[in-house]
C-alpha cells in the first residue's frame, strides 16, 4: 500500500488539533474526528488514503484489539467471563436474528443479504465510550464489561459473518456450519496463544525494552495475519495474544523497564490507529447518499436499537440471582454503549461486488455508524452522569 507521507502528516496534525479541541469542549474525541474528516472533504482536500477492508484488517484492527486486550486483567475478567461470553455469543445471535428478520420482512431484502447485514451490524465497537471512561479516569467492573464484551462480540460477529457470507454466495451446506464455526474460533484461539507465547518466550531472553516492544508489535500483527491466512478469526487470535501478553507476559517475560514503555507505546499506537480510522470514516460518510434511503435508514436504526435492547436486558436478567448480577444502570450503559464502528465497516467494504443489495448494505451500514458516533457518542457522558456512573474530570488524555 502506497502511503503519501505528507498527507499522513497532515492527517496526524488534524488529529492532534481535534484532540486538543475536543478535550477543551469535553466532547468525545471520535466524534470530532469523524466531523473533521467530513470537513476535509467539504474543503476539497483530496484524501488519498481510502478506507477498505484490507486497510482496516491488515493495519488498524490488530493494534486496536491488541491494545484493548493488553489492558484487561485476567483476574478481573474471569469472574465475569460467563456473562461476558453470553452477551458476546447469544447476544450477538439475538441481535443479528432480529435485524435480519426486520430487513427481510419490512424491506423485502433476500434472506441471504439480510442475514449478512444483521451479523455485520451486530458487532459493537464502543471506542467512544471507552475514550470517555479513560478521560474520566474511570475503572472498575463497568469499564471491564463494556471493553470485554465488545472485544469478544467482535470475534463472534466476524466468525458468523464469514459463515453467513459463504452460505449466501456459495450455498454452504448447513451440515458444515458447526465445523466451520469450530475451526474458525478454535484456530483463532490456537494461533493467538501460540504466537503470543512464542514472542513472550523470546522477550524473556532480553532486558532491552526496545526489543521487547518490537516483539509485542510482532505478536499483535503476526497472530492476526496468521489466523486470517488460514481463514481463522484474526480478531480472536490477536485478542488471545494481547491477553497473554498483558497478563503472563507482563509478570513473567517483560522486564520492569519494559512494562511502562510497552503500555505507553501501545496507548500511542491505539491513538494513531483510532485517529486515522475515524478521520477516514468521516471522509467516506460524505460520499454516501443517505437522503435517497432516509426511510430505510431510520427503520434500520430502530431495528438495531431494539435488537441491542433484546440482547442486553433479557440475558442480564438471567444472572439476576447470581453473584454476576449486573446493575440496571450498567445494563443501560451496555445498551446505549453498543456503538458500531471499524469492524462493521471493514466487513461491509469487503462484500463481493455481486452480493445482492450490496450498495444498500454499504449505505445503511455507514448511516448506522454515523448515528452511533454522533448521537450515541455525544450522549454517553450525559447518560453516565445522570446514572451516577461518571464524574467528568479530564485527565489530559484523548483515549
Amino acid at each position: 500500500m502506497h502511503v503519501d507521507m505528507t498527507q499522513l502528516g497532515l492527517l496526524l496534525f488534524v488529529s492532534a488539533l481535534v484532540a486538543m479541541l475536543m478535550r477543551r469542549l469535553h466532547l468525545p474525541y471520535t466524534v470530532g474526528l469523524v466531523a473533521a474528516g467530513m470537513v476535509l472533504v467539504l474543503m476539497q482536500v483530496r484524501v488519498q488514503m481510502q478506507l477498505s477492508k484490507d486497510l482496516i484488517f491488515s493495519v488498524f484492527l490488530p493494534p486496536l484489539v491488541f491494545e484493548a486486550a493488553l489492558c484487561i486483567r485476567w483476574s478481573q475478567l474471569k469472574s465475569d467471563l460467563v456473562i461476558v461470553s453470553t452477551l458476546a455469543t447469544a447476544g450477538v445471535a439475538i441481535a443479528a436474528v432480529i435485524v435480519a428478520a426486520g430487513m427481510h420482512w419490512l424491506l423485502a431484502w433476500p434472506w441471504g443479504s439480510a442475514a449478512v447485514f444483521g451479523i455485520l451490524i451486530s458487532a459493537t465497537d464502543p471506542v467512544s465510550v471507552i475514550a470517555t471512561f479513560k478521560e474520566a479516569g474511570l475503572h472498575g467492573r463497568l469499564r471491564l464489561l463494556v471493553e470485554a464484551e465488545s472485544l469478544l462480540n467482535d470475534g463472534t460477529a466476524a466468525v458468523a459473518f464469514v459463515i453467513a457470507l459463504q452460505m449466501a454466495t456459495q450455498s454452504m451446506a448447513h451440515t458444515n456450519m458447526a465445523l466451520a464455526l469450530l475451526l474458525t474460533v478454535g484456530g483463532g484461539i490456537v494461533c493467538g496463544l501460540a504466537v503470543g507465547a512464542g514472542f513472550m518466550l523470546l522477550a524473556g531472553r532480553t532486558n532491552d525494552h526496545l526489543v521487547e516492544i518490537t516483539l509485542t508489535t510482532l505478536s499483535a500483527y503476526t497472530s492476526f495475519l496468521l489466523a486470517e491466512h488460514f481463514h481463522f478469526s484474526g480478531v480472536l487470535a490477536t485478542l488471545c495474544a494481547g491477553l497473554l501478553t498483558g497478563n503472563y507476559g507482563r509478570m513473567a517475560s517483560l522486564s520492569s523497564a519494559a512494562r511502562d514503555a510497552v503500555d505507553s507505546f501501545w496507548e500511542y499506537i491505539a491513538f494513531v490507529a483510532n485517529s486515522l480510522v475515524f478521520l477516514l470514516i468521516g471522509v467516506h460518510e460524505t460520499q454516501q447518499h443517505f437522503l435517497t434511503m432516509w426511510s430505510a435508514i431510520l427503520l434500520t436504526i430502530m431495528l438495531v436499537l431494539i435488537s441491542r435492547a433484546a440482547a442486553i436486558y433479557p440475558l442480564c436478567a438471567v444472572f439476576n440471582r447470581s453473584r454476576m448480577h449486573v446493575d440496571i444502570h450498567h445494563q443501560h450503559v451496555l445498551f446505549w454503549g453498543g456503538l458500531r464502528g471499524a469492524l462493521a465497516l471493514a466487513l461491509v467494504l469487503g462484500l463481493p461486488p455481486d452480493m445482492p443489495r450490496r450498495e444498500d448494505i454499504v449505505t445503511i451500514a455507514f448511516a448506522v455508524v454515523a448515528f452511533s458516533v454522533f448521537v450515541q457518542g455525544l450522549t454517553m457522558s450525559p447518560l453516565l452522569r445522570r446514572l451516577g456512573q461518571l464524574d467528568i474530570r479530564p485527565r489530559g488524555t484523548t483515549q
Side-chain angles (χ1 to χ4, degrees), residues 3 19 35 39 76 109 114 127 171 174 180 190 202 209 215 245 251 253 293 295 300 312 358 383 393 399:
V3 178
V39 169
Q76 299 172 346
W109 282 18
V127 177
S171 300
H174 288 276
V190 170
L202 283 176
H209 70 280
L215 292 174
T245 303
M251 300 304 298
S253 298
M293 299 185 65
S295 58
T300 304
I312 295 298
R358 184 186 188 279
L383 174 64
R393 293 188 304 273
Q399 285 294 302

Side-chain angles (χ1 to χ4, degrees), residues 15-31:
S15 300
L17 293 180
V18 169
M20 296 166 64
L21 177 61
M22 291 298 102
R23 189 172 64 206
R24 285 182 176 273
L25 297 176
H26 305 308
L27 294 175
Y29 172 56
T30 48
V31 174

Side-chain angles (χ1 to χ4, degrees), residues 8-134:
L8 180 60
L10 171 64
L11 295 179
L12 290 178
F13 178 64
V14 170
S15 300
L17 293 180
V18 169
M20 296 166 64
L21 177 61
M22 291 298 102
R23 189 172 64 206
R24 285 182 176 273
L25 297 176
H26 305 308
L27 294 175
Y29 172 56
T30 48
V31 174
L33 287 170
V34 175
M38 299 172 73
V39 169
L40 287 177
V41 174
L42 295 176
M43 293 175 62
Q44 298 185 343
V45 175
R46 185 171 179 270
V47 179
Q48 296 178 346
M49 186 182 295
Q50 295 296 309
L51 200 65
S52 66
K53 179 183 178 181
D54 288 341
L55 182 64
I56 295 175
F57 265 68
S58 300
V59 179
F60 296 138
L61 204 53
L64 289 173
V65 172
F66 190 86
E67 191 270 341
L70 198 66
C71 299
I72 295 177
R73 294 294 163 264
W74 176 251
S75 59
Q76 299 172 346
L77 176 61
K78 64 181 180 181
S79 62
D80 282 314
L81 186 59
V82 173
I83 188 168
V84 167
S85 300
T86 301
L87 293 174
T89 52
V92 169
I94 291 170
V97 167
I98 291 174
V99 173
M103 303 306 283
H104 174 71
W105 287 325
L106 300 178
L107 295 179
W109 282 18
W111 270 117
S113 300
V116 167
F117 178 79
I119 291 170
L120 72 86
I121 211 65
S122 67
T124 63
D125 187 67
V127 177
S128 295
V129 180
I130 294 172
T132 302
F133 288 171
K134 287 186 177 180

Side-chain angles (χ1 to χ4, degrees), residues 377-390:
L378 283 172
T379 56
M380 272 311 305
S381 288
L383 174 64
L384 289 167
R385 285 197 299 269
R386 185 176 180 83
L387 295 176
Q389 303 298 313
L390 183 63

Side-chain angles (χ1 to χ4, degrees), residues 1 49-64 116 120 154 157-166 169-170 184 221 224-225 227-229 231-235 277 280-281 284 341-353 358 362 366:
M1 178 184 66
M49 186 182 295
Q50 295 296 309
L51 200 65
S52 66
K53 179 183 178 181
D54 288 341
L55 182 64
I56 295 175
F57 265 68
S58 300
V59 179
F60 296 138
L61 204 53
L64 289 173
V116 167
L120 72 86
D154 278 358
V159 171
F161 174 82
V162 171
I163 296 173
L165 186 60
Q166 289 179 342
T169 59
Q170 300 175 9
T184 307
Y221 280 99
F224 192 96
L225 297 176
E228 289 292 321
H229 175 75
H231 305 291
F232 300 147
S233 172
V235 173
V277 164
L280 294 178
I281 288 175
H284 276 256
L343 180 64
L345 296 184
L347 297 177
V348 80
L349 290 172
L351 289 174
R358 184 186 188 279
V362 172
F366 270 92

